[in-house]
Amino acid sequence: MFAINEDYSIYCTRGDIGAFAVSAEVEGVEYIFKAGDTLRLKVFEKKNCDNVVLQKSFPVAEDKAGPTEVILVLDNRDTKIGGTINKPVDYWYEVELIFGETGRVVTIIGYDDDGAKIFKLFPEG
């Protein structure tokens, strides 16, 4: 199972694959991704942003430049966070946009007025 809901919470069974689309708004304008840009997903231990349990970068390739959405794909190795679990575990996550031409980093999904974005990992079936 891999699902993302309207508040950007992600629900994933450990070891499953999944994908979700990400768009960005920069200075109030919908951002058009360019070749050289990178999206970076970070998953943290809940309430401990110093403990990154998964970090994966998604470079925007030349042939993918220009879209207003980029699909982030997690494979079964990515979602095997930590050891075997026997109950759901909550993590926090964020998605950053790294601008190719300047290296500037902007968080486009992450902790905000509504709180942390949850990455809930369920036990393998």
Side-chain angles (χ1 to χ4, degrees):
M1 163 194 65
F2 189 93
I4 185 166
N5 67 17
E6 64 278 346
D7 70 353
Y8 296 103
S9 295
I10 295 174
Y11 300 95
C12 179
T13 300
R14 187 174 185 276
D16 278 1
I17 61 171
F20 61 103
V22 174
S23 59
E25 195 172 284
V26 177
E27 298 171 358
V29 177
E30 186 174 41
Y31 184 71
I32 297 172
F33 295 99
K34 300 170 186 63
D37 290 343
T38 301
L39 291 171
R40 181 171 51 204
L41 170 70
K42 289 184 187 177
V43 179
F44 310 97
E45 181 180 306
K46 183 178 178 182
K47 298 184 182 178
N48 184 3
C49 293
D50 291 331
N51 187 13
V52 178
V53 297
L54 170 65
Q55 180 171 298
K56 186 170 183 177
S57 294
F58 302 87
V60 177
E62 189 72 39
D63 62 336
K64 301 290 184 190
T68 58
E69 276 190 343
V70 174
I71 306 296
L72 307 187
V73 179
L74 299 175
D75 65 28
N76 61 343
R77 293 179 308 267
D78 297 327
T79 63
K80 286 199 173 193
I81 298 168
T84 304
I85 56 176
N86 60 8
K87 63 181 181 177
V89 176
D90 284 350
Y91 294 96
W92 291 353
Y93 82 95
E94 68 182 17
V95 177
E96 299 171 322
L97 167 60
I98 305 164
F99 297 92
E101 56 289 330
T102 65
R104 182 176 146 220
V105 179
V106 175
T107 301
I108 55 176
I109 299 174
Y111 204 102
D112 59 20
D113 292 339
D114 297 326
K117 299 304 174 241
I118 304 297
F119 189 107
K120 183 179 280 284
L121 192 65
F122 291 88
E124 294 176 74

